[in-house]
């Protein structure tokens, strides 16, 4: 049985923010980070909102949003009692807005607000998903919360907002998109609808990611990449993700490795593990054929090599580290955290839809292999 629920209204293009002109006489809470607040970028919203609206700003969002930040947002949510919440920024800002809404609903602090997302990066797909990742710094872990209550009502996709994204962020978020699409494609909740979204996401990414990296002002490439991100978000919101994200959340929570980079470092190792299942190998191979990385007559194992080769090529072209060691993380400290990372990965919400059964020892092996890919004997 397929389960597909797509609620978010998507407004796309340079005129997408025109939707905001129709908002009248409302209490609005904008959630963003301090950078977007201080550099005036938030005027993208405030300049077009009618003056009869009451607009308040919560600009405390940070990378890897913490329980404490969400708690501060809850206090402001209670004070403002907004009719509308707008999450403005990258995935962290949108996840912060989601966390604030989620806990506001649980504690019945306010009536459910209309939720609008305005992403400024192309990576997380958070603008169309019912999930948010919140960090617990005390336990050095990340926790995924999921609820239809935090599925955005409206997503405003304006590629011009992504033109100023730095190369390193373009690379990391771009590989996050690819991970979303690949994990959703083989996740246990996958169906014909999520497959179609994932396939198109990969197709668009192949045409646009390097273009975005090489020329950040290429609006056509930025548009395709934004579409790829949103499609991948819809795909994994339907199908689920897998152990790649389960482990990446722990690498981020423990060592503050950017989420997309953690996913990229893991990706080929997780694909290799998943391919111990012939069924999953065949599905990866089918995707390779769909996006013209391989021909239908090729053996599945050769098609997998094409996917893995693509991942390595993309990372090299975008000057991305391919191991944890390259990030300057001490090996002894890394190994000291292995058990905690393994335990938390097994409890991570993404783990429920991973396609190939894996236990603690398997996760630990992947974590050790990615520390130094030369030592592991694997180039991914």
């Amino acid at each position: 049985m397929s389960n597909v629920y797509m609620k978010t209204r998507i407004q796309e293009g340079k005129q997408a923010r025109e939707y905001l002109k129709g908002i009248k006489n409302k209490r609005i809470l904008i959630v963003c980070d301090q950078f977007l607040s201080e550099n005036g970028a938030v005027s993208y919203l405030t300049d077009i909102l009618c003056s009869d609206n009451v607009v308040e700003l919560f600009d405390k969002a940070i990378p890897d949003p913490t329980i404490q930040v969400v708690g501060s947002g809850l206090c402001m949510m209670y004070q403002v009692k907004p009719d509308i919440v707008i999450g403005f920024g990258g995935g962290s800002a949108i996840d912060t807005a989601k966390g604030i809404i989620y806990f506001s609903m649980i504690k019945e602090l306010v009536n459910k607000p209309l939720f609008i997302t305005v992403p400024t990066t192309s990576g997380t797909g958070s603008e169309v998903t019912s999930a948010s990742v919140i960090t617990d710094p005390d336990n050095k872990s990340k926790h995924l919360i999921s609820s239809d209550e935090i599925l955005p009502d409206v997503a405003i996709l304006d590629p011009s907002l992504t033109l100023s994204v730095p190369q390193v962020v373009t690379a990391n978020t771009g590989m996050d998109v690819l991970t979303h699409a690949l994990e959703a494609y083989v996740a246990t909740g996958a169906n014909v609808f999520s497959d179609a979204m994932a396939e198109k996401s990969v197709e668009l990414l192949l045409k646009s990611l390097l273009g975005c990296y090489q020329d950040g002002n290429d609006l056509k490439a930025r548009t395709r990449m934004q579409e790829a991100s949103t499609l991948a978000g819809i795909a994994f919101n339907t199908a689920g993700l897998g152990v790649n994200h389960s482990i990446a959340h722990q690498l981020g929570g423990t060592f503050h490795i950017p989420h997309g980079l953690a996913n990229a470092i893991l990706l080929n190792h997780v694909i290799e593990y998943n391919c111990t299942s012939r069924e999953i190998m065949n599905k990866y191979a089918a995707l390779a054929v769909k996006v013209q990385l391989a021909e239908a007559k090729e053996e599945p194992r050769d098609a997998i090599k094409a996917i893995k080769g693509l991942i390595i090529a993309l990372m090299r072209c975008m000057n991305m580290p391919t191991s944890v060691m390259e990030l300057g993380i001490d090996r002894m400290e890394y190994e000291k955290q292995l058990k905690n990372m393994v335990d938390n990965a097994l409890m991570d919400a993404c783990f429920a839809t991973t396609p190939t059964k894996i236990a603690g020892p398997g996760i630990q092996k992947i974590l050790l292999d990615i520390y130094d890919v030369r030592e592991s004997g694997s180039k991914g």
Side-chain angles (χ1 to χ4, degrees):
M1 181 181 74
S2 294
N3 181 26
V4 182
Y5 176 48
M6 290 180 285
K7 161 192 170 185
T8 310
R9 173 179 177 174
I10 297 172
Q11 302 282 136
E12 184 190 22
K14 289 182 179 180
Q15 304 303 314
R17 72 171 182 160
E18 293 292 311
Y19 170 85
L20 298 174
K21 282 185 176 179
I23 298 173
K24 311 279 188 182
N25 197 29
K26 300 293 184 183
R27 298 186 67 82
I28 301 170
L29 178 64
I30 298 173
V31 178
C32 66
D33 60 33
Q34 198 165 15
F35 176 75
L36 292 178
S37 171
E38 292 181 350
N39 73 3
V42 75
S43 64
Y44 176 88
L45 304 175
T46 56
D47 284 354
I48 202 169
L49 288 166
C50 289
S51 59
D52 63 3
N53 294 299
V54 176
V55 180
E56 301 286 349
L57 188 64
F58 178 77
D59 62 356
K60 307 302 182 188
I62 58 173
D64 302 323
T66 62
I67 294 170
Q68 290 80 4
V69 167
V70 171
S72 296
L74 274 176
C75 294
M76 192 161 187
M77 187 83 158
Y78 181 68
Q79 293 168 4
V80 176
K81 295 183 171 56
D83 304 297
I84 298 171
V85 172
I86 302 178
F88 179 61
S92 294
I94 295 174
D95 274 6
T96 300
K98 287 180 173 180
I100 293 168
I101 293 171
Y102 178 79
F103 289 107
S104 292
M105 295 299 97
I106 286 180
K107 295 182 177 294
E108 300 180 343
L109 297 179
V110 297
N111 293 326
K112 187 179 184 307
L114 183 79
F115 184 27
I116 301 172
T117 52
V118 187
T120 59
T121 61
S122 298
T124 66
S126 190
E127 67 274 5
V128 290
T129 71
S130 57
S132 174
V133 179
I134 307 299
T135 299
D136 181 348
D138 293 335
N139 292 328
K140 295 183 179 294
S141 61
K142 289 187 176 184
H143 301 286
L144 185 142
I145 56 177
S146 181
S147 168
D148 286 343
E149 297 281 2
I150 58 175
L151 186 61
D153 298 288
V154 181
I156 294 175
L157 305 184
D158 184 346
S160 69
L161 289 172
T162 69
L163 294 177
S164 61
V165 174
Q167 278 191 321
V168 65
V169 178
T170 296
N172 291 344
T173 55
M175 293 305 292
D176 195 18
V177 173
L178 184 58
T179 308
H180 288 154
L182 290 175
E183 282 214 287
Y185 201 70
V186 298
T188 57
N191 56 43
V192 65
F193 304 100
S194 61
D195 283 359
M197 298 290 182
E199 289 165 4
K200 190 64 178 178
S201 175
V202 176
E203 178 190 322
L204 290 171
L205 181 143
L206 294 181
K207 294 175 180 176
S208 60
L209 179 53
L210 287 182
C212 291
Y213 182 81
Q214 291 162 356
D215 179 7
N217 292 312
D218 185 339
L219 188 61
K220 185 175 180 180
R222 290 292 193 185
T223 300
R224 283 177 168 173
M225 198 61 222
Q226 190 172 59
E227 291 168 341
S229 176
T230 298
L231 287 167
I234 296 171
F236 83 74
N237 201 58
T238 299
L241 290 166
V243 74
N244 206 111
H245 268 74
S246 298
I247 301 174
H249 289 154
Q250 311 324 314
L251 291 169
T254 307
F255 294 105
H256 308 293
I257 299 173
H259 179 63
L261 175 58
N263 271 325
I265 291 172
L266 285 160
L267 192 48
N268 274 344
H269 298 268
V270 171
I271 289 173
E272 186 65 26
Y273 182 87
N274 283 341
C275 284
T276 56
S277 161
R278 184 75 183 184
E279 179 184 357
I280 300 304
M281 181 193 293
N282 288 340
K283 192 154 191 199
Y284 279 127
L287 177 60
V289 172
K290 289 277 188 181
V291 299
Q292 300 182 332
L293 287 176
E295 296 183 8
K297 64 183 179 182
E298 290 186 46
E299 287 293 318
R301 177 55 69 178
D302 291 330
I304 303 306
K305 286 180 181 177
I307 293 176
K308 293 170 71 177
L310 166 72
I311 292 164
I312 292 170
L314 285 173
M315 293 182 72
R316 285 177 178 166
C317 287
M318 296 189 293
N319 299 305
M320 298 178 74
T322 57
S323 69
V324 172
M325 184 181 70
E326 292 174 64
L327 301 175
I329 295 170
D330 179 73
R331 174 135 200 170
M332 287 184 63
E333 180 60 26
Y334 186 74
E335 291 185 356
K336 190 188 300 183
Q337 295 295 333
L338 277 176
K339 184 180 186 305
N340 186 55
M341 288 193 290
V342 169
D343 290 345
N344 285 326
L346 289 168
M347 294 187 291
D348 187 85
C350 295
F351 188 75
T353 47
T354 203
T356 306
K357 288 184 178 179
I358 185 169
I363 293 174
Q364 179 167 305
K365 182 179 186 304
I366 290 173
L367 280 165
L368 288 170
D369 284 348
I370 65 169
Y371 184 82
D372 183 354
V373 294
R374 297 169 303 173
E375 184 180 281
S376 73
S378 167
K379 294 296 180 184

